[in-house]
């Protein structure tokens, strides 16, 4: 059973780049059928899809964040990563990594990591 | 962009049936997925592709989707079902979530 674990700084300064990593265990990130995804949740609010990457490297981003988002995969470490540039307080949220299967559903989620943007 | 509309809150008596709706333009033509999120926890998939239950999800959870409304039905509601529920679809612009519904079990 695939498991996901997010890691990265819990505090980022405004205008800097938020960087998070999701470590995949119990399966290979190179196996087909999974779209490795990032989703965030602002405090007390709903869920917002950020984007995903397929193991081949193809990506798909939320248009509202596309200009600031990069998702990449490191098959040697069985990890995938999120970079969000030029952050503001509005990017303060819990960030989840998740797998999207061919059904279109996010069936496995990490526990989430809180990132606060503040000077 | 595509929008999904959910009621902010739904209440149900213990042991009764709760129905949570998710409205969207011609949502019946899309695959709808439902997630349960308890406080401080990550969401859990409870229904995928309108009406399919992942392994480990009780049969009390069911789903339907037609026209402009998808519905998550929770039969014989239990105290442990109290949570936020989100619907989700894919649109030309990507993944879209509903605003979420807080289910209260009385």
């Amino acid at each position: 059973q695939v498991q996901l674990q997010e890691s990265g700084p819990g505090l980022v300064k405004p205008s800097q780049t938020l960087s998070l990593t999701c470590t995949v265990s119990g399966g290979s990130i190179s196996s087909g059928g999974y779209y490795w995804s990032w989703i965030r949740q602002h405090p007390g609010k709903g869920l917002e899809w950020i984007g995903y990457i397929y193991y081949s490297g193809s990506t798909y981003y939320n248009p509202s964040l596309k200009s600031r988002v990069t998702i990449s995969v490191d098959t040697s470490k069985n990890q995938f990563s999120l970079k969000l540039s030029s952050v503001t307080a509005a990017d303060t949220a819990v960030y989840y990594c998740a797998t999207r299967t061919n059904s279109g559903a996010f069936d496995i989620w990490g526990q989430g990591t809180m990132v606060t943007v503040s000077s | 962009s595509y929008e999904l509309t959910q009621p902010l809150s739904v209440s149900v008596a213990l042991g009764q049936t709760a129905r949570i709706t998710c409205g969207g333009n011609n949502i019946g033509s899309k695959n709808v997925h439902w997630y349960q999120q308890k406080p401080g926890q990550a969401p859990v998939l409870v229904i995928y592709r309108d009406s399919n239950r992942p392994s480990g999800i009780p049969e009390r959870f069911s789903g339907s989707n037609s026209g402009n409304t998808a519905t998550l039905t929770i039969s014989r509601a239990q105290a442990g079902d109290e949570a936020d529920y989100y619907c989700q679809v894919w649109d030309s612009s990507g993944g879209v979530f509903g605003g979420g519904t807080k289910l209260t079990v009385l």
Side-chain angles (χ1 to χ4, degrees):
Chain A
Q1 172 74 347
V2 170
Q3 293 183 318
L4 307 175
Q5 178 67 60
E6 305 90 349
S7 59
L11 181 64
V12 181
K13 289 183 167 52
S15 80
Q16 293 190 343
T17 296
L18 179 160
S19 296
L20 296 174
T21 296
C22 183
T23 300
V24 180
S25 58
S28 172
I29 203 167
S30 299
S31 59
Y34 284 121
Y35 298 79
W36 307 99
S37 308
W38 288 97
I39 294 158
R40 70 181 182 179
Q41 186 170 33
H42 295 103
K45 302 296 185 182
L47 301 165
E48 179 182 29
W49 172 72
I50 298 171
Y52 66 63
I53 187 167
Y54 197 52
Y55 79 98
S56 61
S58 59
T59 55
Y60 190 22
Y61 300 140
N62 185 324
S64 68
L65 298 169
K66 185 177 182 179
S67 64
R68 299 193 292 130
V69 171
T70 302
I71 297 176
S72 59
V73 64
D74 186 337
T75 55
S76 67
K77 295 182 179 179
N78 225 32
Q79 296 174 334
F80 62 105
S81 298
L82 168 70
K83 291 190 185 299
L84 181 65
S85 64
S86 304
V87 297
T88 70
D91 295 307
T92 293
V94 175
Y95 286 76
Y96 295 99
C97 58
T99 60
R100 196 214 95 158
T101 66
N102 287 329
S103 74
F106 299 105
D107 64 336
I108 301 170
W109 296 65
Q111 66 183 27
T113 187
M114 179 68 198
V115 178
T116 301
V117 179
S118 174
S119 56
Chain B
S1 61
Y2 194 78
E3 292 187 358
L4 295 173
T5 301
Q6 297 183 237
L8 284 176
S9 63
V10 168
S11 298
V12 61
L14 188 68
Q16 297 305 302
T17 298
R19 293 179 179 83
I20 299 172
T21 59
C22 177
N25 184 31
N26 197 25
I27 196 174
S29 66
K30 300 180 182 297
N31 289 317
V32 180
H33 317 292
W34 290 92
Y35 305 87
Q36 175 194 70
Q37 185 180 33
K38 296 181 178 180
Q41 299 183 18
V44 173
L45 179 67
V46 294
I47 292 289
Y48 66 96
R49 283 184 176 169
D50 298 342
S51 59
N52 296 277
R53 278 178 294 102
S55 174
I57 300 301
E59 291 183 7
R60 301 184 298 104
F61 288 81
S62 62
S64 63
N65 184 19
S66 179
N68 293 318
T69 305
T71 303
L72 172 69
T73 301
I74 306 171
S75 304
R76 301 182 300 282
Q78 301 178 359
D81 297 332
E82 200 162 272
D84 293 327
Y85 290 85
Y86 296 89
C87 57
Q88 178 251 319
V89 300
W90 287 91
D91 177 64
S92 58
S93 59
V96 180
F97 287 94
T101 298
K102 181 175 180 60
L103 177 68
T104 300
V105 180
L106 304 173

